[in-house]
Amino acid sequence: MKKNVPMAIVFVLGVFFIIQFFIPSRPSQMIFNKAIEWDMVIFVFASVIAVDSLVRHHIIKINRKNKGWGYSIVYLGAALFMVLAAVFSGTREGSFYMKIFNYALAPMQSTMFAILAFYMASASYRAFRAKSTEATMLLISAFIVMIGLIPQGAAVWSGFPKLSEWLMLVPNMAAKRGITFGIGLGITATSLKIILGIERNWMGGQ
Amino acid sequence: MGKLKMVLLACLLLPVLALGLEPPTDLKLADAPNDDGSIIIITWKPSVSESEPGFAGYNIERSEFPSDSFAMIAWVPKGTDVHEDNTIETMGKSYYYRIAAVTRDSAIALSAIAGPVATTQSWFHAGKLNTLIGTVLFIAITLLYIFWARRGNLFIRRIAGLDAVEEAVGRATEMGKPILYCNGIGWIDSISTVASLNILGQISKKVAEYDTPLLVPTADPVVHAVAREMVKEGYNSAGRPDLFKEDSVYFITSDQMGYAAALAGIMSREKPATNFFMGYYAAESLVLAESGAATGAIQIAGTDQISQLPFFITACDYTLIGEELYAASAYLSKEPLLVGSLKGQDACKLLIILFVLAGTIAAIIFRSDLIYNMFTIQ
């Protein structure tokens, strides 16, 4: 019962929505939109479980004095502070909550995003070492693509931009499409396996 | 008074007369095919005055009556000769249209009224017929291979990244350090997240056998709920339910960069011996992979996000590219039915390659786009 009911629901709804995809009529669209709304309901219920898990995780860490338990205090304090700010000042533009969001949280997010530039430099250093034939080809093609995208490249040789474009549109695109074919088939096969109950890992593999 | 009216009228008509503004002609209306009865397609022959200076575009007007009560529903710039009115609320109701050529001086020239036209809803999307045939064919081939898989073992090629899973788990056990498993930032409706959860199920069984600590920080509440159940079941399947720790699977945040920062912190503090990055990733992929590489952990990644694959390939020891992520569950479990579906995928891939070759030959030698049109999505 515990296993058969979820599998039956997945099978019935899976087959139904495959059929629904080919029916553009209003009742069909209405059912689809309603299902999307239900997604949000599930999300709300799951959020309660998630927040409970989050708080519990940090409280356990503080109680056991695990490594980095001080960060957990900072986290819980910050989370509580934001909740209280939202409750007492509201979430409208110009409110205290939004000021914290705009002047503390958003810059922190931007900082994390900016760190990417440094990681890209270190990753590029690793990737562009000509240790093998393939790595050498990668290095040469990357050099051509990069030099073709800057004005100085065209100043050195007018063919660089065209060569760069060709590399991106022909060999690069061919590889991308090959991967995309595989992904498309993989997605379809995985969905089919779940709908037919062949793939049961999501239920613990029973 | 009469003279004054005449003068005012002349003033109003002056820009039109000066420009010699012509209206659009040959107005045609059609109910859009393959829709839910909410779209009417309007086509027209552009005004001959389009090339004149000051010509702006067209006002599209609609009415429920044949001669009056027209209201503007859209404006389109010059050069346009077709418009989809997707604001129809009542199916089967008759509508009338006219189009006004408009100048920057607000002079207008009205076309003849066209109509009536009424919408109907379709019960089958004819434009998706090729998709339907493809889907049925794919399902049939996959089911055929699954059926064959019941009879005996089918060979599947080795995937280095998945062969390394056992080694990676073993290494963490020897070092007495945890394994970090990241599901990415995808929602549960992303198939790559589902595939990642399937792999987590397999890995949690192995982890339970070795009694290695497992950390599963999640970025989505629904994914968190499913991941926790899967890890729990994994421990149960391995016969070690006592080893499962409730707080080993925990939610962090749905915020992309918040998630990346938290994981980078976990990696630098906990120093996991093995990091798994499976599922849907975006810009945070390199932050995670580089942070992990800096700690010296073995890293196995897998995603179907083509734009993130180069980062993972560069910064991780093994990377599952695209479909390999979906094959992982079958590969790790070695279950005949799952392996059969993999073989079905390969057969379909061969079919696609044959179509690509046929399409290329048809286009180059016969100058025909017959094969290309077969795969056009409408």
Side-chain angles (χ1 to χ4, degrees):
Chain A
M1 189 72 174
K2 195 182 165 186
K3 299 291 174 193
N4 291 342
V5 171
M7 277 177 63
I9 292 169
V10 167
F11 177 78
V12 170
L13 289 179
V15 171
F16 174 81
F17 282 108
I18 289 174
I19 296 165
Q20 186 278 329
F21 176 76
F22 297 99
I23 302 170
S25 67
R26 288 191 183 193
S28 159
Q29 296 303 318
M30 197 181 70
I31 292 168
F32 179 75
N33 293 333
K34 192 61 75 180
I36 299 228
E37 283 173 26
W38 286 5
D39 263 11
M40 294 314 294
V41 175
I42 294 165
F43 180 85
V44 170
F45 278 101
S47 296
V48 175
I49 300 167
V51 171
D52 171 67
S53 134
L54 181 66
V55 173
R56 207 182 285 264
H57 175 78
H58 286 285
I59 287 172
I60 289 169
K61 233 175 157 180
I62 294 163
N63 283 342
R64 291 180 188 166
K65 297 275 193 296
N66 284 353
K67 199 175 180 181
W69 64 275
Y71 296 114
S72 294
I73 294 175
V74 172
Y75 169 78
L76 289 174
L80 185 67
F81 182 73
M82 283 301 270
V83 169
L84 293 173
V87 169
F88 292 109
S89 79
T91 55
R92 276 194 297 248
E93 198 57 52
S95 63
F96 178 63
Y97 168 85
M98 280 311 287
K99 280 194 172 87
I100 299 170
F101 184 89
N102 289 329
Y103 303 122
L105 194 68
M108 283 195 280
Q109 287 173 332
S110 305
T111 305
M112 277 307 295
F113 213 99
I115 285 171
L116 260 181
F118 296 97
Y119 283 134
M120 270 186 190
S122 63
S124 300
Y125 173 74
R126 254 209 307 276
F128 297 152
R129 277 183 298 183
K131 289 189 293 186
S132 62
T133 312
E134 291 89 347
T136 310
M137 282 170 70
L138 179 70
L139 173 64
I140 294 165
S141 54
F143 175 79
I144 293 167
V145 168
M146 285 192 281
I147 202 112
L149 290 173
I150 56 170
Q152 288 83 349
V156 173
W157 178 51
S158 61
F160 271 132
K162 283 177 187 165
L163 193 55
S164 164
E165 195 182 6
W166 179 85
L167 276 170
M168 292 301 286
L169 291 179
V170 181
N172 175 59
M173 189 60 78
K176 267 188 176 179
R177 283 185 180 156
I179 295 168
T180 309
F181 280 144
I183 290 168
L185 290 170
I187 287 173
T188 316
T190 304
S191 307
L192 187 66
K193 282 183 283 189
I194 292 168
I195 288 167
L196 296 177
I198 295 165
E199 178 77 80
R200 298 181 193 183
N201 266 317
W202 59 278
M203 291 196 312
Q206 298 305 298
Chain B
M1 193 67 191
K3 277 183 183 177
L4 185 67
K5 274 186 184 174
M6 287 293 283
V7 169
L8 282 169
L9 192 66
C11 286
L12 284 169
L13 288 172
L14 200 62
V16 184
L17 294 169
L19 190 71
L21 187 62
E22 290 290 332
T25 53
D26 203 17
L27 189 59
K28 286 193 175 75
L29 308 174
D31 172 28
N34 306 320
D35 75 332
D36 60 352
S38 64
I39 301 172
I40 287 173
I41 300 168
I42 309 138
T43 55
W44 63 91
K45 212 170 170 179
S47 162
V48 291
S49 310
E50 265 201 11
S51 53
E52 299 284 337
F55 191 95
Y58 302 100
N59 287 345
I60 293 157
E61 298 175 357
R62 188 180 72 198
S63 172
E64 292 172 19
F65 306 101
S67 55
D68 55 7
S69 304
F70 278 89
M72 184 177 145
I73 54 157
W75 178 87
V76 291
K78 67 177 180 182
T80 313
D81 59 2
V82 63
H83 176 73
E84 279 191 3
D85 177 13
N86 56 6
T87 59
I88 307 295
E89 284 176 6
T90 316
M91 260 187 311
K93 197 174 193 174
S94 292
Y95 290 99
Y96 299 84
Y97 287 84
R98 72 181 183 195
I99 298 180
V102 188
T103 67
R104 287 197 200 104
D105 306 324
S106 302
I108 60 167
L110 292 167
S111 73
I113 293 167
V117 65
T119 59
T120 53
Q121 62 182 346
S122 307
W123 288 93
F124 176 70
H125 196 303
K128 289 179 179 174
L129 183 64
N130 53 1
T131 312
L132 178 64
I133 293 166
T135 306
V136 169
L137 196 66
F138 177 78
I139 290 171
I141 291 169
T142 306
L143 290 177
L144 190 68
Y145 272 91
I146 288 169
F147 176 74
W148 283 340
R150 287 169 186 261
R151 296 187 193 174
N153 284 337
L154 292 170
F155 169 78
I156 48 172
R157 70 177 172 89
R158 289 184 66 241
I159 301 172
L162 294 171
D163 284 340
V165 167
E166 198 86 36
E167 178 202 334
V169 175
R171 182 176 182 262
T173 311
E174 282 169 20
M175 293 172 75
K177 286 185 172 179
I179 288 169
L180 179 71
Y181 191 98
C182 309
N183 285 304
I185 58 165
W187 287 22
I188 197 73
D189 58 2
S190 152
I191 297 290
S192 54
T193 305
V194 174
S196 166
L197 288 165
N198 288 336
I199 299 165
L200 174 63
Q202 298 290 345
I203 285 171
S204 61
K205 282 179 200 169
K206 289 186 192 299
V207 163
E209 285 163 15
Y210 286 99
D211 187 14
T212 311
L214 176 68
L215 302 173
V216 187
T218 57
D220 178 71
V222 182
V223 171
H224 164 260
V226 177
R228 195 172 62 172
E229 285 308 306
M230 288 188 76
V231 173
K232 201 173 179 175
E233 283 294 340
Y235 277 81
N236 286 343
S237 302
R240 305 298 303 272
D242 54 304
L243 293 177
F244 174 67
K245 292 185 183 73
E246 280 286 341
D247 66 326
S248 64
V249 183
Y250 54 98
F251 173 71
I252 291 180
T253 174
S254 298
D255 180 80
Q256 181 192 14
M257 285 301 153
Y259 182 67
L263 287 185
I266 291 165
M267 285 181 223
S268 64
R269 281 193 302 275
E270 307 280 345
K271 298 271 188 302
T274 305
N275 296 332
F276 287 99
F277 304 117
M278 304 282 182
Y280 176 91
Y281 289 87
E284 76 289 347
S285 65
L286 191 62
V287 174
L288 302 179
E290 279 290 299
S291 301
T295 63
I298 279 192
Q299 301 201 106
I300 302 174
T303 188
D304 61 355
Q305 296 303 298
I306 295 174
S307 54
Q308 305 309 317
L309 281 170
F311 298 136
F312 278 142
I313 289 167
T314 303
C316 295
D317 299 286
Y318 302 97
T319 305
L320 305 180
I321 299 171
E323 63 179 322
E324 290 177 343
L325 175 72
Y326 300 108
S329 177
Y331 194 92
L332 291 170
S333 69
K334 300 282 190 290
E335 210 177 297
L337 293 183
L338 294 175
V339 172
S341 73
L342 274 191
K343 298 300 285 184
Q345 263 174 260
D346 285 347
C348 291
K349 216 183 299 174
L350 182 66
L351 205 61
I352 288 173
I353 291 166
L354 292 174
F355 271 113
V356 169
L357 287 172
T360 308
I361 292 163
I364 294 170
I365 298 171
F366 302 106
R367 302 254 176 240
S368 161
D369 51 10
L370 176 74
I371 307 280
Y372 173 81
N373 290 340
M374 278 168 64
F375 288 88
T376 305
I377 299 165
Q378 292 175 32

